[in-house]
Amino acid sequence: MQVGDFIELVVSCAPIRTQPSDISEMCTEALAGEVAVVQEIGTKDWIRIQLVGDDYEGWTDRKQWFFFHAGAAKHIGAKYFRVQSPVSPWLRPDGAVLQLPAGSIVSLGDDHSTWSLAGNDLSPLFPLDDVFQAHQSPLDAAQAFIGSPYRWGGRSVWGMDCSGLIQLAYVLCGKKLPRDASQQALKGGLIHWVNRSPGDLVFFKNVSGGITHVGILKTLDTIIHAAGEVRLDAMKEDGIWRDQTKTHSISCIRRID
């Protein structure tokens, strides 16, 4: 493996860290089948990568990735599908059952019968209609994760942060969105409070005015966001309210088509 190589995640999910250490902060999470480009070779098994999907960079354990030749197609003739259900079990030939989270990418061979992940054959243990049932909108996708725990840097049903939830909801609908809330707040068009609609993104600020949180309107007066868990809270013109306490101060509302 060398700088410039393309690699594909072979496990269900993997932490991407700010530094080459298992105790370093997780800044984002890669999902099964996602592709990255090697940026730097570190000590031991650490490599710094850039995810192809959103250009996010960080350090990861090379043992969790499958190498394929730089610049080459992953699997000629294969078709790629993104898992839509929050989680689904797949059987590997060695007997391992991989639980693949929503957003994972699996391929179907040109024989239209063989599924695989990063070079490993897979057999679905879940009805495929359920695994790949498309979400109607990012709002529809976000609702599927209500109850998932909060986890800084997370992008899966096992734990996600606020911007990870929103990015994943858009990815599941075939739409690209940056990873961080501050980056997401630069997309789409500004919407005045009186013109808001379900599905609009609402961004929230800290005392310095910086964007630190994001959620998606379920109705005109409720919002889905990740805070402790992915949850539904009351939305008022000045921010998010829970148990008669304002928890987040509004910055802006944006609509992304």
Side-chain angles (χ1 to χ4, degrees):
M1 186 179 294
Q2 59 187 1
V3 172
D5 283 344
F6 286 78
I7 54 177
E8 182 180 355
L9 189 66
V10 73
V11 295
S12 297
C13 57
I16 308 301
R17 302 188 182 278
T18 57
Q19 299 295 327
S21 168
D22 284 319
I23 62 173
S24 178
E25 173 189 348
M26 183 172 81
C27 55
T28 192
E29 184 174 38
L31 305 177
E34 289 193 315
V35 173
V37 181
V38 178
Q39 302 293 306
E40 181 180 349
I41 306 296
T43 59
K44 297 182 179 179
D45 287 317
W46 290 102
I47 53 175
R48 185 170 61 83
I49 64 168
Q50 182 180 58
L51 293 170
V52 170
D54 59 11
D55 296 329
Y56 219 83
E57 295 189 13
W59 291 88
T60 186
D61 185 337
R62 66 191 296 168
K63 296 190 298 295
Q64 297 180 318
W65 297 81
F66 169 79
F67 163 77
F68 58 95
H69 295 296
K74 287 167 64 178
H75 306 288
I76 295 175
K79 294 183 178 179
Y80 294 89
F81 297 83
R82 195 178 289 275
V83 172
Q84 298 284 323
S85 59
V87 65
S88 60
W90 297 74
L91 180 65
R92 216 166 53 187
D94 62 1
V97 175
L98 297 185
Q99 300 291 340
L100 298 187
S104 299
I105 301 171
V106 293
S107 62
L108 181 62
D110 55 9
D111 60 0
H112 304 294
S113 63
T114 304
W115 292 93
S116 65
L117 166 67
N120 290 316
D121 288 346
L122 292 177
S123 299
L125 300 177
F126 205 79
L128 289 178
D129 286 347
D130 294 336
V131 174
F132 299 120
Q133 179 64 48
H135 292 283
Q136 298 302 307
S137 67
L139 172 57
D140 177 52
Q143 292 181 99
F145 298 102
I146 291 178
S148 297
Y150 180 90
R151 182 165 58 117
W152 178 267
R155 296 174 60 226
S156 70
V157 67
W158 300 298
M160 56 182 63
D161 59 23
C162 64
S163 56
L165 166 67
I166 300 303
Q167 186 194 47
L168 180 60
Y170 273 78
V171 164
L172 294 178
C173 295
K175 299 180 178 181
K176 192 171 182 178
L177 202 63
R179 177 61 177 87
D180 295 334
S182 59
Q183 299 169 319
Q184 295 171 1
L186 300 176
K187 301 299 181 180
L190 282 171
I191 300 297
H192 293 295
W193 173 256
V194 295
N195 296 324
R196 72 197 186 281
S197 296
D200 287 343
L201 300 185
V202 187
F203 295 90
F204 303 88
K205 59 188 178 182
N206 58 20
V207 294
S208 301
I211 301 294
T212 58
H213 194 65
V214 61
I216 186 168
L217 287 178
K218 176 176 171 58
T219 67
L220 296 183
D221 301 309
T222 58
I223 189 168
I224 298 171
H225 66 130
E229 63 177 339
V230 179
R231 56 180 295 127
L232 185 68
D233 279 318
M235 184 72 221
K236 298 183 180 181
E237 188 170 4
D238 60 347
I240 297 176
W241 286 75
R242 184 190 307 170
D243 300 327
Q244 299 184 337
T245 300
K246 187 172 75 170
T247 61
H248 298 80
S249 297
I250 193 170
S251 174
C252 63
I253 304 173
R254 301 193 78 95
R255 184 170 299 162
I256 302 175
D257 297 326

